[in-house]
Amino acid sequence: MPPPPPRRALLAPLLRLRAFSSLAHHPPLPPPPRRHQFVAADAITGRGGGGNPLDPAQLLRDDPVAITASLWVSSFRAQPTAAAPPPPSLSPFLSRLELWVLAYQKAYADETGSYLPRSSIPASTLSSLLALRNAVLDARFRFGNRLTPFLRSPRAAAAAAQDPATLSKRKLRALLTTPGPAPFQDRVVQELLLLLLEPVYEARFSPKSFAFRPGRSPHAAIRTIRRSFAPYLWYIKGDLSPLLHSPDPALVVGALIRDVRDKKVVDLVRSALLTPPVTARPGDEDAAKKKKKRKYQKKKVLPEGEPKPDPYWLQTFFGFAPEEALTQPDWGHCGVLSPLLANVCLDELDKWMEEKIKELYRPSKSDVVGGEDGVEQGNTSWPEFVPTSGPDKTRKVDYIRFGGHFLIGVRGPRADAAVLRKQLVEFCDQRFRIKLDNESLPIEHITKGIMFLDHVLCRRVVYPTLRYTATGGKIISEKGVGTLLSVTASLKQCIKQFRKLEFLKGDREPDPQPCFRMFHATQAHTNAQMNKLLLTMAEWYRYADNRKKVVNFCSYIIRGSLAKLYAAKYKLRSRAKVYKIASRNLSRPLKDKKGQSPEYHNLLRMGLVDSIDGLQYTRMSMVPDPDYTPLPSGWRPDHEKILLEYIKLTDQQTLDEQRSCIREEGLITPQDYISMLVWSYKKNAVLLPSFKENDHKVSTEDLDSDTDELGDEEIGNLDHIDSPKKSD
């Protein structure tokens, strides 16, 4: 079959038009017109033509999600180029009370753990939100204000809402010097700034960064490495975490001003960075530790009906988080805005590395990695295949960043990696004021194994299925046909984390030890918590080549730890005794009287006991296989693909090209087909006779058709019946 014509590719977006029907009902909103600015100004000053300008209900006109969606669409429509105009002003959006309500709903959900509908927000809260908005627009808002807040937390007690003038000096001093969570109104302002700045920068960020961004998870970074980093021999690992711990406010504001030219937004971010947070004094820390030890000395046995504390499996899994994901930026009073600002600063490194990738690219016509146009010519169905290298092969560089950690792959001689490292040290010193050296930026070969995101990048030789053997069965030829980039989970790192969490003891052979933190929980609750941990571990190592081995090892350690815990709790002698009573997956109940109890199935049928879930993955065959699905070329998150497709469908030039292509192909769109049907119906309805004549004609035609189907005898009978009526 010959390949389709190139212009037929223009028809593909029309086939997916129905997927964007929801967006079609909400077309992209333009920037708020000037009338909204006048309304905001009237609301601030208390002046207005009609109605009460201080009534929040009159300012809630539009859907806040539609306003935010319009900002996303406008940001992605204007792709950042050398001649691209600056982003639109954010002050009109800052004055929209609808966005303040949406920010309040997000902060309320984080504070209480439940969603608050817009219709359930009381009128007093809306008035407080309006006062907070006016204070921000008038530059009267200050971060960390605990004395006179404009908006109070929904969990604030009545005693906490007292007038500061009525408090004593001791209480005022304790209120101002005691460290604690940020005021609730600060979190609302942070959420609003995140709503405004995130769409502006997501359209400008480099696709090489994968941390603190929607849709770009660690799994996406691992799959990108598996696909794109196969040809590289030398790797450079770097750590810019000091920038995430203690940033320079001037550096952050300077990076922000390059893309956002709105003074009010920049002043808010500068105030959040420069306002010092309340920290505890050294003596207060020691006193708090003593009180904490004294408070938790006595163990509490939880009854059956009492809810359990924070899940132990969640705390345990955070201990397994990779080193690159442990560092979460938290700058002053920026709160949830800190990760975005960290990416704003590090985006300069991403842009610099993109220029270096183009500068150091040396294509070779005889290489399968890339030709003169830079397009990969290798096997796309087997992207982890490692091609051969040499002085006459293509030289290229690739880069990926996750948070403050980055990985650079170099294809070519080691001297190219050394030159790039020297330039990188100079760039970080001049731009970020971070001193790096050769030890902090090691150059490692792929054969030694590169650790990144708790996975090891190495090479695996592929052997043919048929091997030449001698008469005695000894292999005399074992030639490899190629090498693959292997992405495996680090078993040593897993054992190290288990030791840190006190699941293991010993240095040589891993021996499980009981997790006494679950001593006072029931067997059903303990098994359920550990199953959540195992399911999370299996999902985390989803794209690792040794997924079965690592998850089965984690199951063995947890199962042995629980067996020792149950042996100590129910006064059994060994793990073997526990396995004999509770079976291999610990799904049968254990009793403290020598393990003897009524038949469990009978008690379960009568509803006298709760069902106990057995531990997952007790055998390696039960662990799911690794996911080797290749990442498509030019991958983007789902929300970005939907936005770009919607922008393409709303472009008039694209629609004209699609219509011309449809006419050339002799096709017709569903909309035109429906229009033709409607027009034909209207045209035929005009040409038809009147309603009564039409009904009489239809009835006559039906009667004629019925008589045609009757025989001669039946027609004669009908005439005989009708003859008396005619004589009368």
Side-chain angles (χ1 to χ4, degrees):
M1 179 181 296
R7 293 183 61 83
R8 185 177 283 273
L10 295 173
L11 301 177
L14 283 178
L15 301 178
R16 296 187 294 269
L17 183 60
R18 184 171 296 178
F20 307 102
S21 58
S22 59
L23 283 176
H25 292 294
H26 300 281
L29 298 178
R34 298 186 60 85
R35 63 183 182 87
H36 291 294
Q37 300 180 14
F38 294 143
V39 170
D42 292 341
I44 295 172
T45 58
R47 298 186 301 268
N52 185 7
L54 299 180
D55 186 9
Q58 297 183 6
L59 301 177
L60 300 176
R61 297 193 181 101
D62 300 326
D63 183 15
V65 178
I67 299 175
T68 309
S70 68
L71 187 57
W72 278 88
V73 172
S74 61
S75 300
F76 274 83
R77 178 178 283 115
Q79 291 294 334
T81 58
S89 176
L90 299 178
S91 293
F93 293 94
L94 193 65
S95 61
R96 300 297 295 269
L97 187 61
E98 298 93 338
L99 296 181
W100 285 91
V101 173
L102 182 60
Y104 174 80
Q105 289 175 314
K106 295 179 64 176
Y108 182 92
D110 293 338
E111 178 77 8
T112 62
S114 60
Y115 173 74
L116 180 66
R118 179 175 171 179
S119 58
S120 301
I121 301 178
S124 58
T125 303
L126 292 177
S127 301
S128 301
L129 278 174
L130 182 60
L132 179 61
R133 187 206 68 168
N134 295 343
V136 170
L137 295 177
D138 292 345
R140 293 183 288 107
F141 172 78
R142 296 293 181 270
F143 283 96
N145 185 9
R146 299 185 179 183
L147 294 181
T148 56
F150 298 95
L151 179 66
R152 298 190 180 275
S153 171
R155 286 190 171 183
Q162 295 179 357
D163 186 6
T166 61
L167 299 178
S168 62
K169 293 183 179 180
R170 181 180 60 83
K171 291 184 178 181
L172 281 175
R173 188 182 301 108
L175 181 64
L176 296 176
T177 59
T178 303
F184 183 74
Q185 64 179 9
D186 292 5
R187 282 177 277 175
V188 174
V189 177
Q190 295 162 6
E191 291 286 355
L192 180 68
L193 292 176
L194 184 63
L195 286 175
L196 300 182
L197 293 177
E198 188 177 36
V200 173
Y201 279 102
E202 280 296 322
R204 288 167 168 76
F205 279 156
S206 170
K208 303 292 184 181
S209 62
F210 284 86
F212 317 134
R213 297 182 60 186
R216 298 181 181 270
S217 62
H219 281 168
I222 294 173
R223 298 180 68 189
T224 303
I225 291 174
R226 181 186 288 277
R227 176 180 178 86
S228 304
F229 279 70
Y232 302 104
L233 300 176
W234 303 99
Y235 288 85
I236 304 175
K237 286 178 57 179
D239 183 11
L240 299 178
S241 297
L243 180 64
L244 304 184
H245 291 298
S246 56
D248 185 4
L251 176 65
V252 179
V253 174
L256 188 69
I257 290 178
R258 274 189 290 272
D259 293 321
V260 177
R261 304 297 176 86
D262 196 288
K263 186 178 183 303
K264 292 182 179 179
V265 175
V266 174
D267 289 344
L268 279 175
V269 176
R270 182 187 290 110
S271 174
L273 289 170
L274 296 179
T275 303
V278 179
T279 57
R281 293 172 293 181
D284 297 340
E285 294 180 359
D286 298 339
K289 289 182 179 179
K290 292 181 180 179
K291 292 182 179 179
K292 186 176 181 180
K293 288 182 179 179
R294 191 182 303 114
K295 181 179 180 181
Y296 291 97
Q297 278 182 354
K298 186 177 180 181
K299 299 290 184 179
K300 179 181 179 182
V301 179
L302 297 176
E304 290 290 338
E306 185 175 347
K308 305 301 185 296
D310 293 337
Y312 177 61
W313 71 270
L314 192 59
Q315 303 174 10
T316 305
F317 177 71
F318 284 152
F320 277 90
E323 181 183 358
E324 293 83 0
L326 285 177
T327 304
Q328 296 286 338
D330 188 8
W331 298 348
H333 293 275
C334 292
V336 295
L337 200 62
S338 302
L340 178 65
L341 296 179
N343 274 333
V344 170
C345 296
L346 293 174
D347 187 62
E348 300 182 20
L349 175 63
D350 302 339
K351 296 296 193 300
W352 183 81
M353 279 302 307
E354 288 179 353
E355 296 296 330
K356 288 298 175 182
I357 290 174
K358 298 178 182 178
E359 177 184 341
L360 300 177
Y361 180 66
R362 300 290 184 271
S364 175
K365 296 182 179 179
S366 60
D367 197 357
V368 299
V369 174
E372 295 181 355
D373 53 353
V375 180
E376 292 187 3
Q377 302 174 1
N379 187 3
T380 56
S381 62
W382 202 1
E384 61 269 15
F385 174 71
V386 180
T388 57
S389 61
D392 58 337
K393 301 298 181 180
T394 299
R395 296 185 181 183
K396 58 186 302 187
V397 177
D398 206 347
Y399 161 85
I400 192 173
R401 179 179 62 84
F402 191 88
H405 299 258
F406 61 87
L407 181 68
I408 303 175
V410 180
R411 176 177 168 83
R414 190 182 185 278
D416 293 352
V419 172
L420 180 59
R421 178 174 64 178
K422 182 179 179 181
Q423 297 175 355
L424 184 61
V425 169
E426 295 177 356
F427 175 81
C428 293
D429 186 15
Q430 296 176 1
R431 193 67 197 91
F432 300 132
R433 301 171 187 172
I434 297 179
K435 301 294 183 180
L436 299 177
D437 52 8
N438 294 343
E439 295 182 359
S440 58
L441 293 175
I443 301 177
E444 301 177 353
H445 198 267
I446 185 62
T447 55
K448 294 185 178 180
I450 313 299
M451 177 76 74
F452 193 74
L453 283 176
D454 204 14
H455 288 69
V456 181
L457 312 181
C458 56
R459 281 186 172 185
R460 176 166 56 92
V461 181
V462 180
Y463 295 99
T465 57
L466 180 62
R467 300 179 182 179
Y468 298 97
T469 58
T471 56
K474 183 179 180 181
I475 298 175
I476 60 176
S477 177
E478 195 177 34
K479 184 179 180 181
V481 296
T483 56
L484 293 179
L485 178 66
S486 179
V487 182
T488 60
S490 175
L491 194 60
K492 293 183 179 179
Q493 185 73 9
C494 191
I495 294 175
K496 179 181 178 181
Q497 298 295 342
F498 269 126
R499 286 201 180 99
K500 185 187 300 184
L501 297 171
E502 299 179 356
F503 272 92
L504 289 176
K505 62 180 179 180
D507 296 332
R508 295 184 179 180
E509 297 182 358
D511 185 20
Q513 63 177 354
C515 51
F516 285 109
R517 294 179 63 181
M518 301 291 292
F519 187 84
H520 298 283
T522 60
Q523 183 181 353
H525 176 72
T526 304
N527 286 7
Q529 297 297 314
M530 291 299 119
N531 276 336
K532 293 178 182 178
L533 172 61
L534 287 173
L535 292 173
T536 311
M537 296 289 290
E539 180 63 23
W540 167 241
Y541 293 119
R542 178 179 180 179
Y543 298 98
D545 293 348
N546 58 343
R547 181 188 188 185
K548 283 180 170 290
K549 181 179 179 180
V550 172
V551 175
N552 185 72
F553 172 76
C554 296
S555 177
Y556 161 73
I557 295 298
I558 292 176
R559 184 163 53 91
S561 177
L562 290 185
K564 286 189 175 182
L565 172 67
Y566 294 152
K569 181 177 180 179
Y570 296 107
K571 301 179 182 179
L572 301 174
R573 295 183 178 180
S574 61
R575 284 186 291 177
K577 186 70 172 178
V578 174
Y579 292 144
K580 183 178 180 181
I581 300 174
S583 73
R584 182 185 180 90
N585 59 354
L586 305 177
S587 61
R588 295 179 61 86
L590 292 163
K591 298 297 178 182
D592 54 351
K593 293 184 179 180
K594 298 182 181 181
Q596 297 179 358
S597 62
E599 185 63 27
Y600 173 68
H601 295 287
N602 296 335
L603 296 177
L604 183 63
R605 192 183 308 111
M606 292 184 293
L608 299 178
V609 296
D610 296 332
S611 60
I612 300 176
D613 296 332
L615 289 182
Q616 299 281 344
Y617 313 129
T618 54
R619 300 184 184 276
M620 186 176 291
S621 60
M622 302 172 63
V623 183
D625 296 328
D627 190 353
Y628 293 108
T629 306
L631 197 67
S633 181
W635 173 86
R636 280 180 175 270
D638 293 338
H639 69 281
E640 292 187 9
K641 290 191 296 184
I642 292 175
L643 281 172
L644 295 177
E645 193 75 12
Y646 174 69
I647 292 171
K648 185 178 180 181
L649 290 175
T650 54
D651 187 9
Q652 187 63 33
Q653 182 179 359
T654 304
L655 294 178
D656 295 340
E657 292 178 358
Q658 291 172 353
R659 292 192 181 99
S660 62
C661 182
I662 288 173
R663 286 193 296 268
E664 291 179 4
E665 295 291 336
L667 303 176
I668 185 172
T669 61
Q671 293 85 352
D672 294 340
Y673 182 70
I674 293 174
S675 301
M676 291 174 56
L677 290 178
V678 174
W679 173 251
S680 301
Y681 174 77
K682 291 182 177 180
K683 183 178 179 181
N684 295 332
V686 173
L687 298 178
L688 287 176
S690 61
F691 181 76
K692 295 182 179 179
E693 296 178 357
N694 192 16
D695 290 346
H696 179 69
K697 183 178 180 181
V698 170
S699 61
T700 307
E701 291 178 355
D702 293 342
L703 181 60
D704 294 340
S705 62
D706 294 339
T707 56
D708 292 339
E709 297 177 357
L710 297 175
D712 296 338
E713 297 180 357
E714 296 178 354
I715 293 175
N717 296 333
L718 291 174
D719 294 339
H720 178 70
I721 294 173
D722 294 338
S723 57
K725 297 181 180 178
K726 293 180 181 179
S727 61
D728 296 338

